[in-house]
Amino acid sequence: MQQASRRLDGSRTPATRGPHHNKNNNNDNNNNKSAGQLRLPPLQKVSSAPQLQKQRPGKEEQRRRQQQHHNSLPRIIQKEGSAVGSQSIVPSPAVAPSVEARQALFEVLSNPNIQKVAQRYYNLQLPDRQSGGRLGFKDLRKVLQDLNQHLGVPMPSSAAAEQLFKRFDFNGDGNLAFEEFFELFVSSLRRTAFDRSVLLGREVFVGQEPGNVWDQYHRIRTLGTGSFGAAHLGRHKRTNEERVIKAVQKSQARLPVEDIEREIMVMLRLDHPHVIRLYGWYEGSSTIYLIMDALKGGTLRDALLQQQSTGHSVEEGWSRNVMSQVLQAMAYCHSMRVIHKDLKDENVMLLKQGFDTGEPFVVIIDLGVAEMFSLSEPRGKLMGGSPMTMAPEVWQGNFGAKCDVWSAGCILFEMLSGGMPFMARSLNPRDWMALHKYGPNWRKVATSSQSRSLCQEMLTFADSARPSMAACLKHPWFSARPDALGLLPAEQLDHLQAFCKESALKRALLMEIAAKLPLDHAERIVKMFNQLDWNKDGGMSQEELCNAFAYVGLRDRALQEKTFQALDVNRDGLLSYSEFAAGVLLGFRDLLEERFEVLFRRHDLNSDGMLSRPECESFLAKVLPLAYREVKQSPEVTLNKLFAGSKAGLLSYEELRSKLLPTATAKITLF
């Protein structure tokens, strides 16, 4: 499927969905070869297909059914075994897909060539490839087995598969043309990707919110508008928290729903303190509303221009701190196989305004052009980004993750010299690449030789000779920094060990609070995380955590491993930022109680300071399923225990806090 691409002026060309515009697309062998061969294992025979209804709907009904699937994001599964609307015919998988299968699933969904991937699955099971055959029900069952094996898509029962077949057999002829199969393929992958019942970690707590966004938020002001929507500053009506609300039009003529979905998936996958955090989204009939951090320090570009207007230069130490955080964030993104592709000074935001607010805290934003890449296909083809920071290989339409290193090098040059390294007077790729080969005017860089050396390496023309983000972080320019371990008191690590002794319910609650912790409240926790993440890859390994424990004299190896396992909620072998934050929140009691109160107010619908049982069910809706995976106690039993002895079936804030906020216990239970 040809996806929308961003023009150099920032707008996008509308996407076209290949199968809708090409009637002869069923047997596109040339496309299959260019996309690479997918080798799938032989499958066992499936019983004969059930009798299907042959009566065909009219053309208007066919179009209506196609549009229903094409122009909406997947509905999030709310309860185990049930779903909203039309997604309910495939049950939630009993076992979560492996980390590898889930990564592969996200890569396929975000792949600009997803149509070719679907075509390979389709062609593999065609009964007669040479004559342009179509998939019957038995053939579809084989495809579903392939999707289950390779991408973790749950295998439906025979009855559910029959319903699935009928729903996407738009013309009712008892077969699936590729156009129909492609809609089924994308819908099945979407449903699995957004199925909260199999999620672990921060993804559990970030999803589509019910209702209308403006019923929940006051619109304070509009921050900016563009071709595809607007960004607003909003304040939650019950908690008074401010958030940026990005409103994106989802019509095919403006921005395809697949592009919005890709941005959501990328943001869901990333959990780093210097990458913009998504807190949820709302869906209207024509608009998707993304809820994100309100970063009030402005863009890096604004800060640099303001400093220039005062006649003062930017201190090299400040620039080094900014670049270190940018590189850490992007090294993490690359480890998650995400390329930003539009890194520039306007997409680096400051948490606080001004140069006199202490150390800078920066956040990478705008993942709308970002691409996820697979290990088998690590190169991108769709040109996009901003001309002044686009790498030579992006202009050529054949790029990898190191294109972001070039863009970061342009930002570094700007901070060190006060101007951009390259500026052509046209949008002709040849003009820009000629400048790239010649190189910038290095005489404008009047800072240290080490800073200039790093910048020169990052702006190496050939990406094969350019260092990776991780290699840049090892440059001598960043070596003159205090020993991180010497700054970390032992009692902070005690709280991590106390976390593993808390009940399953309380640990799940800490995880939700950490997942929704605004960056402007988290600077102390971010500092701890960065101190312990010695290799700056955005995740904390068991070895890093155990070394930290040993350094401060906590040498019980069994307890170290138990602590790591309790913190590693998604079982991927690395502690993400949110998993680490959940563990250390016990050491920041003021912050913990403040965020608990915010969570309480969000669910106190009538603002009376009490939660009814339905309100409490909503309060714990995302926490209980996570706790249930460890301690098999039904939500009903848990709620009965919470409300035991309550007056008039209501729980006050103080009562709920005393029952749910953690205090260390030795035995792991649900309470």
Side-chain angles (χ1 to χ4, degrees), residues 540-567:
M540 195 174 303
S541 67
Q542 182 169 322
E543 181 183 4
E544 285 176 317
L545 187 64
C546 290
N547 286 341
F549 280 135
Y551 184 88
V552 296
L554 304 173
R555 302 183 183 279
D556 186 336
R557 186 71 182 185
L559 184 56
Q560 292 173 0
E561 294 177 356
K562 183 178 180 181
T563 301
F564 184 88
Q565 291 168 6
L567 290 166

Side-chain angles (χ1 to χ4, degrees), residues 312-330:
H312 295 94
S313 60
V314 178
E315 292 185 4
E316 184 175 338
W318 191 90
S319 298
R320 186 179 66 174
N321 285 335
V322 167
M323 186 49 51
S324 175
Q325 293 172 30
V326 168
L327 294 177
Q328 288 176 46
M330 292 312 306

Side-chain angles (χ1 to χ4, degrees), residues 39 69 72 126 176 208 264 316 373 467 513 556 560 594 614:
R39 299 186 180 276
H69 297 288
S72 64
L126 279 180
L176 294 182
Q208 183 176 338
I264 290 174
E316 184 175 338
F373 62 92
I513 292 174
D556 186 336
Q560 292 173 0
E594 175 200 333

Side-chain angles (χ1 to χ4, degrees), residues 62 69 110 232 297 325 356 378 458 470 604 615:
Q62 292 181 41
H69 297 288
S110 62
H232 310 280
Q325 293 172 30
D356 55 354
M458 296 173 73
D604 181 12
E615 289 173 332

Side-chain angles (χ1 to χ4, degrees), residues 15 51 153 195 226 407 436 506 517 636 660:
Q51 295 298 315
V153 176
D195 182 355
S407 300
H436 294 162
K506 292 176 181 178
L517 186 62
E636 188 73 18
L660 292 182

Side-chain angles (χ1 to χ4, degrees), residues 138-190:
K138 180 172 66 174
D139 308 312
L140 176 65
R141 292 281 288 171
K142 294 179 181 179
V143 174
L144 293 175
Q145 288 179 350
D146 288 344
L147 296 180
N148 173 262
Q149 179 180 351
H150 295 97
L151 303 178
V153 176
M155 187 67 190
S157 66
S158 180
E162 181 180 353
Q163 292 181 49
L164 191 69
F165 187 97
K166 288 181 178 179
R167 195 207 311 165
F168 288 92
D169 180 14
F170 298 125
N171 62 5
D173 67 351
N175 292 288
L176 294 182
F178 178 73
E179 175 181 345
E180 296 166 323
F181 170 77
F182 182 71
E183 297 290 346
L184 181 152
F185 177 83
V186 173
S187 176
S188 298
L189 266 59
R190 283 176 173 175

